[in-house]
Tab-separated table of all heavy atoms in Angstrom:
chain	number	residue	atom	x	y	z
A	1	ARG	N	-89.360	73.317	-94.649
A	1	ARG	CA	-88.772	72.062	-94.229
A	1	ARG	C	-88.578	72.016	-92.718
A	1	ARG	O	-88.579	70.972	-92.110
A	1	ARG	CB	-87.433	71.851	-94.938
A	1	ARG	CG	-87.562	71.557	-96.412
A	1	ARG	CD	-86.270	70.976	-96.931
A	1	ARG	NE	-85.181	71.932	-96.919
A	1	ARG	CZ	-84.875	72.723	-97.927
A	1	ARG	NH1	-85.603	72.698	-99.022
A	1	ARG	NH2	-83.846	73.551	-97.855
A	2	GLN	N	-88.415	73.186	-92.108
A	2	GLN	CA	-88.137	73.226	-90.682
A	2	GLN	C	-89.412	73.259	-89.841
A	2	GLN	O	-89.358	73.066	-88.643
A	2	GLN	CB	-87.299	74.471	-90.362
A	2	GLN	CG	-85.937	74.449	-91.030
A	2	GLN	CD	-85.255	75.786	-90.984
A	2	GLN	OE1	-85.764	76.729	-90.383
A	2	GLN	NE2	-84.113	75.897	-91.625
A	3	GLN	N	-90.548	73.510	-90.471
A	3	GLN	CA	-91.785	73.686	-89.712
A	3	GLN	C	-92.812	72.642	-90.121
A	3	GLN	O	-93.424	72.753	-91.168
A	3	GLN	CB	-92.355	75.079	-89.974
A	3	GLN	CG	-93.661	75.342	-89.239
A	3	GLN	CD	-94.132	76.752	-89.477
A	3	GLN	OE1	-93.378	77.643	-89.777
A	3	GLN	NE2	-95.417	76.946	-89.350
A	4	PRO	N	-92.995	71.569	-89.350
A	4	PRO	CA	-93.968	70.541	-89.685
A	4	PRO	C	-95.389	71.064	-89.544
A	4	PRO	O	-95.634	72.069	-88.882
A	4	PRO	CB	-93.681	69.441	-88.660
A	4	PRO	CG	-93.082	70.154	-87.504
A	4	PRO	CD	-92.295	71.287	-88.092
A	5	PRO	N	-96.372	70.352	-90.144
A	5	PRO	CA	-97.759	70.813	-90.086
A	5	PRO	C	-98.273	70.997	-88.671
A	5	PRO	O	-99.119	71.851	-88.420
A	5	PRO	CB	-98.515	69.696	-90.824
A	5	PRO	CG	-97.500	69.080	-91.719
A	5	PRO	CD	-96.199	69.162	-90.972
A	6	SER	N	-97.808	70.183	-87.728
A	6	SER	CA	-98.304	70.282	-86.364
A	6	SER	C	-97.956	71.610	-85.717
A	6	SER	O	-98.510	71.979	-84.690
A	6	SER	CB	-97.739	69.131	-85.524
A	6	SER	OG	-96.331	69.176	-85.512
A	7	GLU	N	-97.026	72.361	-86.321
A	7	GLU	CA	-96.636	73.650	-85.785
A	7	GLU	C	-96.992	74.773	-86.769
A	7	GLU	O	-96.370	75.816	-86.805
A	7	GLU	CB	-95.126	73.664	-85.508
A	7	GLU	CG	-94.700	72.625	-84.492
A	7	GLU	CD	-93.193	72.551	-84.355
A	7	GLU	OE1	-92.506	73.437	-84.911
A	7	GLU	OE2	-92.703	71.632	-83.705
A	8	ARG	N	-98.002	74.528	-87.573
A	8	ARG	CA	-98.356	75.481	-88.612
A	8	ARG	C	-98.793	76.816	-88.013
A	8	ARG	O	-99.283	76.904	-86.898
A	8	ARG	CB	-99.465	74.915	-89.494
A	8	ARG	CG	-100.740	74.534	-88.746
A	8	ARG	CD	-101.698	73.829	-89.698
A	8	ARG	NE	-102.928	73.449	-89.038
A	8	ARG	CZ	-103.086	72.291	-88.425
A	8	ARG	NH1	-102.105	71.430	-88.376
A	8	ARG	NH2	-104.230	71.992	-87.858
A	9	ARG	N	-98.630	77.850	-88.806
A	9	ARG	CA	-98.952	79.190	-88.343
A	9	ARG	C	-100.462	79.387	-88.234
A	9	ARG	O	-101.255	78.682	-88.840
A	9	ARG	CB	-98.367	80.214	-89.316
A	9	ARG	CG	-96.849	80.160	-89.396
A	9	ARG	CD	-96.336	81.173	-90.394
A	9	ARG	NE	-94.885	81.077	-90.508
A	9	ARG	CZ	-94.160	81.810	-91.317
A	9	ARG	NH1	-94.738	82.691	-92.111
A	9	ARG	NH2	-92.851	81.677	-91.373
A	10	ALA	N	-100.848	80.386	-87.473
A	10	ALA	CA	-102.261	80.712	-87.309
A	10	ALA	C	-102.811	81.298	-88.603
A	10	ALA	O	-102.074	81.608	-89.535
A	10	ALA	CB	-102.430	81.698	-86.153
A	11	VAL	N	-104.099	81.455	-88.634
A	11	VAL	CA	-104.767	81.927	-89.845
A	11	VAL	C	-104.452	83.389	-90.155
A	11	VAL	O	-104.687	83.861	-91.264
A	11	VAL	CB	-106.296	81.715	-89.705
A	11	VAL	CG1	-106.876	82.702	-88.690
A	11	VAL	CG2	-107.003	81.839	-91.047
A	12	ASP	N	-103.872	84.109	-89.195
A	12	ASP	CA	-103.646	85.538	-89.373
A	12	ASP	C	-102.890	85.873	-90.650
A	12	ASP	O	-103.230	86.821	-91.363
A	12	ASP	CB	-102.877	86.103	-88.172
A	12	ASP	CG	-103.637	85.942	-86.866
A	12	ASP	OD1	-104.357	84.935	-86.738
A	12	ASP	OD2	-103.516	86.803	-85.988
A	13	GLY	N	-101.836	85.121	-90.948
A	13	GLY	CA	-101.052	85.400	-92.149
A	13	GLY	C	-101.878	85.252	-93.414
A	13	GLY	O	-101.736	86.035	-94.357
A	14	TYR	N	-102.774	84.278	-93.429
A	14	TYR	CA	-103.631	84.071	-94.599
A	14	TYR	C	-104.596	85.239	-94.775
A	14	TYR	O	-104.916	85.635	-95.899
A	14	TYR	CB	-104.417	82.765	-94.444
A	14	TYR	CG	-103.557	81.526	-94.516
A	14	TYR	CD1	-102.862	81.068	-93.403
A	14	TYR	CD2	-103.436	80.804	-95.698
A	14	TYR	CE1	-102.078	79.929	-93.462
A	14	TYR	CE2	-102.655	79.654	-95.768
A	14	TYR	CZ	-101.972	79.232	-94.641
A	14	TYR	OH	-101.188	78.110	-94.706
A	15	LEU	N	-105.061	85.792	-93.664
A	15	LEU	CA	-106.007	86.905	-93.732
A	15	LEU	C	-105.365	88.174	-94.289
A	15	LEU	O	-106.069	89.073	-94.766
A	15	LEU	CB	-106.583	87.179	-92.338
A	15	LEU	CG	-107.450	86.062	-91.744
A	15	LEU	CD1	-107.793	86.383	-90.293
A	15	LEU	CD2	-108.713	85.876	-92.566
A	16	LEU	N	-104.049	88.258	-94.238
A	16	LEU	CA	-103.344	89.444	-94.733
A	16	LEU	C	-103.114	89.410	-96.240
A	16	LEU	O	-102.697	90.408	-96.822
A	16	LEU	CB	-101.986	89.576	-94.026
A	16	LEU	CG	-102.023	89.848	-92.521
A	16	LEU	CD1	-100.609	89.824	-91.956
A	16	LEU	CD2	-102.691	91.179	-92.234
A	17	ALA	N	-103.375	88.291	-96.865
A	17	ALA	CA	-103.101	88.153	-98.301
A	17	ALA	C	-104.035	89.029	-99.126
A	17	ALA	O	-105.244	89.049	-98.888
A	17	ALA	CB	-103.249	86.704	-98.724
A	18	PRO	N	-103.510	89.738	-100.128
A	18	PRO	CA	-104.337	90.572	-101.001
A	18	PRO	C	-104.902	89.803	-102.193
A	18	PRO	O	-105.238	90.393	-103.210
A	18	PRO	CB	-103.343	91.645	-101.458
A	18	PRO	CG	-102.047	90.930	-101.525
A	18	PRO	CD	-102.067	89.930	-100.378
A	19	PHE	N	-104.993	88.489	-102.070
A	19	PHE	CA	-105.485	87.647	-103.162
A	19	PHE	C	-106.318	86.517	-102.570
A	19	PHE	O	-106.209	86.218	-101.375
A	19	PHE	CB	-104.315	87.081	-103.981
A	19	PHE	CG	-103.294	86.339	-103.161
A	19	PHE	CD1	-103.451	84.988	-102.840
A	19	PHE	CD2	-102.163	86.995	-102.689
A	19	PHE	CE1	-102.521	84.312	-102.077
A	19	PHE	CE2	-101.218	86.327	-101.925
A	19	PHE	CZ	-101.391	84.982	-101.617
A	20	PRO	N	-107.146	85.851	-103.365
A	20	PRO	CA	-107.982	84.762	-102.845
A	20	PRO	C	-107.187	83.477	-102.671
A	20	PRO	O	-106.234	83.212	-103.412
A	20	PRO	CB	-109.061	84.607	-103.921
A	20	PRO	CG	-108.384	85.035	-105.184
A	20	PRO	CD	-107.469	86.164	-104.777
A	21	TRP	N	-107.598	82.675	-101.701
A	21	TRP	CA	-106.974	81.376	-101.478
A	21	TRP	C	-107.781	80.276	-102.148
A	21	TRP	O	-109.006	80.364	-102.262
A	21	TRP	CB	-106.877	81.082	-99.984
A	21	TRP	CG	-105.952	81.999	-99.263
A	21	TRP	CD1	-106.284	83.047	-98.464
A	21	TRP	CD2	-104.516	81.965	-99.294
A	21	TRP	NE1	-105.152	83.666	-97.990
A	21	TRP	CE2	-104.058	83.031	-98.484
A	21	TRP	CE3	-103.578	81.145	-99.928
A	21	TRP	CZ2	-102.700	83.277	-98.296
A	21	TRP	CZ3	-102.232	81.401	-99.731
A	21	TRP	CH2	-101.803	82.453	-98.915
A	22	TYR	N	-107.079	79.237	-102.567
A	22	TYR	CA	-107.735	78.103	-103.209
A	22	TYR	C	-107.441	76.813	-102.444
A	22	TYR	O	-106.393	76.666	-101.800
A	22	TYR	CB	-107.252	77.943	-104.654
A	22	TYR	CG	-108.069	78.755	-105.631
A	22	TYR	CD1	-107.893	80.124	-105.735
A	22	TYR	CD2	-109.048	78.156	-106.417
A	22	TYR	CE1	-108.651	80.887	-106.613
A	22	TYR	CE2	-109.809	78.902	-107.299
A	22	TYR	CZ	-109.614	80.259	-107.394
A	22	TYR	OH	-110.379	81.007	-108.257
A	23	GLY	N	-108.394	75.890	-102.534
A	23	GLY	CA	-108.234	74.562	-101.975
A	23	GLY	C	-108.955	73.565	-102.867
A	23	GLY	O	-109.454	73.929	-103.943
A	24	LEU	N	-109.037	72.320	-102.445
A	24	LEU	CA	-109.835	71.354	-103.182
A	24	LEU	C	-111.307	71.738	-103.080
A	24	LEU	O	-111.740	72.327	-102.090
A	24	LEU	CB	-109.623	69.951	-102.628
A	24	LEU	CG	-108.202	69.376	-102.743
A	24	LEU	CD1	-108.195	67.925	-102.267
A	24	LEU	CD2	-107.673	69.475	-104.174
A	25	ASP	N	-112.068	71.413	-104.110
A	25	ASP	CA	-113.485	71.799	-104.101
A	25	ASP	C	-114.277	70.926	-103.132
A	25	ASP	O	-113.735	70.037	-102.462
A	25	ASP	CB	-114.062	71.771	-105.519
A	25	ASP	CG	-114.021	70.392	-106.157
A	25	ASP	OD1	-113.931	69.384	-105.419
A	25	ASP	OD2	-114.067	70.310	-107.402
A	26	GLU	N	-115.571	71.183	-103.060
A	26	GLU	CA	-116.406	70.536	-102.037
A	26	GLU	C	-116.590	69.042	-102.262
A	26	GLU	O	-117.107	68.342	-101.392
A	26	GLU	CB	-117.768	71.219	-101.978
A	26	GLU	CG	-118.538	71.193	-103.279
A	26	GLU	CD	-119.816	72.018	-103.191
A	26	GLU	OE1	-119.945	72.835	-102.264
A	26	GLU	OE2	-120.678	71.829	-104.071
A	27	ALA	N	-116.131	68.527	-103.400
A	27	ALA	CA	-116.188	67.077	-103.604
A	27	ALA	C	-115.272	66.351	-102.624
A	27	ALA	O	-115.483	65.173	-102.324
A	27	ALA	CB	-115.798	66.732	-105.041
A	28	PHE	N	-114.270	67.057	-102.116
A	28	PHE	CA	-113.395	66.476	-101.097
A	28	PHE	C	-114.009	66.723	-99.732
A	28	PHE	O	-114.235	67.865	-99.333
A	28	PHE	CB	-111.994	67.100	-101.161
A	28	PHE	CG	-111.082	66.630	-100.066
A	28	PHE	CD1	-110.472	65.391	-100.150
A	28	PHE	CD2	-110.871	67.411	-98.937
A	28	PHE	CE1	-109.644	64.928	-99.124
A	28	PHE	CE2	-110.039	66.966	-97.916
A	28	PHE	CZ	-109.432	65.732	-98.014
A	29	SER	N	-114.272	65.663	-98.997
A	29	SER	CA	-114.972	65.786	-97.706
A	29	SER	C	-114.088	65.504	-96.502
A	29	SER	O	-114.565	65.469	-95.371
A	29	SER	CB	-116.172	64.836	-97.682
A	29	SER	OG	-115.754	63.487	-97.877
A	30	GLY	N	-112.785	65.309	-96.739
A	30	GLY	CA	-111.888	64.981	-95.643
A	30	GLY	C	-111.370	66.199	-94.900
A	30	GLY	O	-111.802	67.335	-95.124
A	31	PRO	N	-110.404	65.986	-94.000
A	31	PRO	CA	-109.838	67.080	-93.207
A	31	PRO	C	-109.111	68.099	-94.082
A	31	PRO	O	-108.526	67.756	-95.109
A	31	PRO	CB	-108.855	66.364	-92.266
A	31	PRO	CG	-109.254	64.926	-92.292
A	31	PRO	CD	-109.830	64.675	-93.641
A	32	ARG	N	-109.144	69.352	-93.633
A	32	ARG	CA	-108.405	70.442	-94.285
A	32	ARG	C	-107.624	71.166	-93.196
A	32	ARG	O	-108.131	71.359	-92.104
A	32	ARG	CB	-109.363	71.412	-94.990
A	32	ARG	CG	-110.219	70.760	-96.083
A	32	ARG	CD	-111.305	71.700	-96.582
A	32	ARG	NE	-112.173	71.048	-97.546
A	32	ARG	CZ	-112.207	71.323	-98.847
A	32	ARG	NH1	-111.425	72.287	-99.331
A	32	ARG	NH2	-113.016	70.679	-99.662
A	33	TRP	N	-106.402	71.623	-93.519
A	33	TRP	CA	-105.574	72.254	-92.501
A	33	TRP	C	-104.623	73.274	-93.131
A	33	TRP	O	-104.142	73.128	-94.236
A	33	TRP	CB	-104.780	71.214	-91.718
A	33	TRP	CG	-104.433	69.972	-92.479
A	33	TRP	CD1	-105.219	68.874	-92.644
A	33	TRP	CD2	-103.221	69.703	-93.202
A	33	TRP	NE1	-104.584	67.931	-93.418
A	33	TRP	CE2	-103.358	68.413	-93.768
A	33	TRP	CE3	-102.043	70.411	-93.409
A	33	TRP	CZ2	-102.357	67.824	-94.537
A	33	TRP	CZ3	-101.045	69.827	-94.175
A	33	TRP	CH2	-101.208	68.551	-94.724
A	34	LEU	N	-104.415	74.351	-92.378
A	34	LEU	CA	-103.492	75.390	-92.814
A	34	LEU	C	-102.060	74.932	-92.616
A	34	LEU	O	-101.751	74.210	-91.672
A	34	LEU	CB	-103.720	76.678	-92.020
A	34	LEU	CG	-105.101	77.328	-92.132
A	34	LEU	CD1	-105.145	78.581	-91.273
A	34	LEU	CD2	-105.413	77.673	-93.594
A	35	MET	N	-101.175	75.399	-93.488
A	35	MET	CA	-99.751	75.091	-93.353
A	35	MET	C	-98.979	76.372	-93.030
A	35	MET	O	-98.791	76.724	-91.890
A	35	MET	CB	-99.245	74.396	-94.607
A	35	MET	CG	-99.928	73.047	-94.827
A	35	MET	SD	-99.391	72.147	-96.288
A	35	MET	CE	-97.736	71.650	-95.806
A	36	GLN	N	-98.574	77.128	-94.049
A	36	GLN	CA	-97.867	78.367	-93.786
A	36	GLN	C	-97.960	79.277	-94.994
A	36	GLN	O	-98.291	78.850	-96.102
A	36	GLN	CB	-96.401	78.116	-93.469
A	36	GLN	CG	-95.590	77.566	-94.635
A	36	GLN	CD	-94.120	77.453	-94.293
A	36	GLN	OE1	-93.756	77.265	-93.149
A	36	GLN	NE2	-93.278	77.567	-95.296
A	37	VAL	N	-97.672	80.560	-94.774
A	37	VAL	CA	-97.618	81.525	-95.865
A	37	VAL	C	-96.169	81.914	-96.109
A	37	VAL	O	-95.316	81.798	-95.227
A	37	VAL	CB	-98.457	82.792	-95.559
A	37	VAL	CG1	-99.916	82.429	-95.360
A	37	VAL	CG2	-97.906	83.528	-94.339
A	38	GLY	N	-95.888	82.380	-97.320
A	38	GLY	CA	-94.571	82.901	-97.672
A	38	GLY	C	-94.701	84.377	-97.969
A	38	GLY	O	-95.676	84.826	-98.584
A	39	THR	N	-93.737	85.158	-97.526
A	39	THR	CA	-93.801	86.606	-97.688
A	39	THR	C	-92.592	87.136	-98.439
A	39	THR	O	-91.518	86.518	-98.453
A	39	THR	CB	-93.881	87.313	-96.321
A	39	THR	OG1	-92.716	86.982	-95.555
A	39	THR	CG2	-95.117	86.872	-95.562
A	40	ALA	N	-92.766	88.301	-99.059
A	40	ALA	CA	-91.669	89.017	-99.694
A	40	ALA	C	-90.866	89.737	-98.617
A	40	ALA	O	-91.237	89.749	-97.438
A	40	ALA	CB	-92.218	90.014	-100.710
A	41	ALA	N	-89.773	90.364	-99.028
A	41	ALA	CA	-88.896	91.044	-98.070
A	41	ALA	C	-89.626	92.155	-97.321
A	41	ALA	O	-89.281	92.477	-96.186
A	41	ALA	CB	-87.682	91.609	-98.795
């Protein structure tokens, strides 16, 4: 809630994930953008 999309984190956090990421399939042709990752303690 405190971090709007315009201040989204860099891709680095996503690259650290030990699981695959999902998005809309290629039928969607519009813009795509990273938001943020959530981490455990």
